[in-house]
Amino acid sequence: MNKKKIGIISLCIVLLLAIYCVTTYKLMNSRTYQVFGELVPRVETTKKVVALTFDDGPNPEHTGEILKELDAKGVKATFFLIGQEIEKHPGEAKQIIQAGHEVGNHSYSHNRMIFKSPSYLSSEVEKTDALLRDAGYQGDILFRPPNGKKLLYLPYYLKQHDRTTIMWDLEPDSYEDIASSADKIVDYTVQHVRPGSIILLHAMYDSRGESMKAIPGIISKLQAEGYECKTVSELLKAADRP
Ligand SMILES: [Zn+2]
């Protein structure tokens, strides 16, 4: 083979690899699309309803405070819990469930669920389901992948098991500048909210004191704008019928 041919073939391989990498990256991070099954970043509705969701935990440091803030406003939220944290703190998981909130599955170990074996991925989901049941949860268990990442097998598995993947359309405390101030978190949320929005907050961490402080403000301002905060399952039921 002459040098020119080798050059062209090498270029094609590099190009194909680049396309593969870009496609894989986009697919694993997409909030609105996956190859199999349903992925919900927001519910299509004209009603002024939204869902507040909290990721990670539970833990003894912050669970009680979040529950107190929600209770003071009479709001039920959805908590996507990590299996190994439920194992460490079953009392806090029970507390969330007994307070009438929805709990969802956020994997067992919170490792990214990409480039892993099928058996690893299914055990991450199933172990956490079992822990949520042990903690007394009886409703359908929604799923949210850690860091929102998924590729092929995870969506396939979830579809086979008739599970809905819940993403989000608003994550105010994921932007460094906004996360640094409770007021900014509240303002960002109120400015960007739409009917059917799924709002993600990370108030379960010591480093997220501003997110915790923002909870009452978010709820009050949303309510003042006529919004009702519901669990994700309730929000799904509020979808407009086509
Ligand atoms: Zn998480």
Side-chain angles (χ1 to χ4, degrees):
M1 217 182 301
N2 64 32
K3 272 188 184 170
K4 197 176 168 193
K5 268 191 182 164
I6 293 173
I8 291 170
I9 290 170
S10 308
L11 190 68
C12 287
I13 291 172
V14 169
L15 215 63
L16 283 173
L17 267 176
I19 292 169
Y20 169 78
C21 290
V22 170
T23 310
T24 304
Y25 181 80
K26 283 196 166 172
L27 194 59
M28 76 184 184
N29 288 305
S30 175
R31 253 198 263 151
T32 53
Y33 176 77
Q34 66 183 3
V35 180
F36 305 102
E38 202 184 353
L39 186 75
V40 183
R42 178 185 154 256
V43 170
E44 279 302 331
T45 180
T46 47
K47 301 176 196 86
K48 288 188 110 178
V49 284
V50 296
L52 273 186
T53 68
F54 294 91
D55 274 15
D56 309 345
N59 60 37
E61 294 81 17
H62 303 291
T63 303
E65 199 180 339
I66 300 175
L67 293 179
K68 207 176 79 194
E69 298 291 2
L70 294 173
D71 191 44
K73 299 282 181 195
V75 160
K76 300 292 181 225
T78 303
F79 292 75
F80 287 94
L81 302 178
I82 301 169
Q84 63 185 11
E85 299 302 313
I86 302 172
E87 226 163 39
K88 282 188 225 157
H89 312 295
E92 280 69 20
K94 285 182 188 150
Q95 227 185 318
I96 296 171
I97 294 163
Q98 281 163 7
H101 299 285
E102 176 167 37
V103 286
N105 183 324
H106 195 40
S107 82
Y108 178 77
S109 46
H110 206 267
N111 288 327
R112 292 178 178 197
M113 296 176 89
I114 48 174
F115 307 121
K116 300 280 194 323
S117 71
S119 61
Y120 174 87
L121 294 176
S122 46
S123 82
E124 283 280 307
V125 178
E126 287 160 18
K127 275 195 282 184
T128 305
D129 280 348
L131 287 158
L132 290 169
R133 293 295 182 219
D134 286 350
Y137 190 63
Q138 291 177 346
D140 285 345
I141 303 176
L142 300 171
F143 182 81
R144 175 177 280 168
N147 305 102
K149 297 201 188 304
K150 65 262 159 302
L151 262 176
L152 296 177
Y153 182 75
L154 180 62
Y156 176 76
Y157 169 90
L158 293 168
K159 183 174 166 56
Q160 292 301 104
H161 292 81
D162 209 12
R163 305 287 291 266
T164 307
T165 309
I166 303 297
M167 304 295 270
W168 57 89
D169 66 324
L170 279 184
E171 46 176 336
D173 65 9
S174 294
Y175 310 105
E176 216 175 302
D177 173 47
I178 294 163
S180 63
S181 144
D183 288 343
K184 284 186 186 175
I185 295 173
V186 174
D187 290 346
Y188 180 92
T189 307
V190 177
Q191 278 161 17
H192 293 84
V193 75
R194 290 193 289 161
S197 277
I198 298 175
I199 302 159
L200 162 62
L201 288 169
H202 296 90
M204 283 281 181
Y205 294 100
D206 290 343
S207 58
R208 300 293 197 153
E210 295 303 304
S211 298
M212 181 73 84
K213 270 201 257 168
I215 298 171
I218 289 174
I219 297 172
S220 299
K221 289 209 173 170
L222 288 178
Q223 288 174 339
E225 301 258 328
Y227 280 99
E228 205 182 331
C229 297
K230 291 177 172 279
T231 64
V232 173
S233 285
E234 289 168 340
L235 187 68
L236 292 170
K237 288 187 192 132
D240 291 337
R241 300 283 163 237

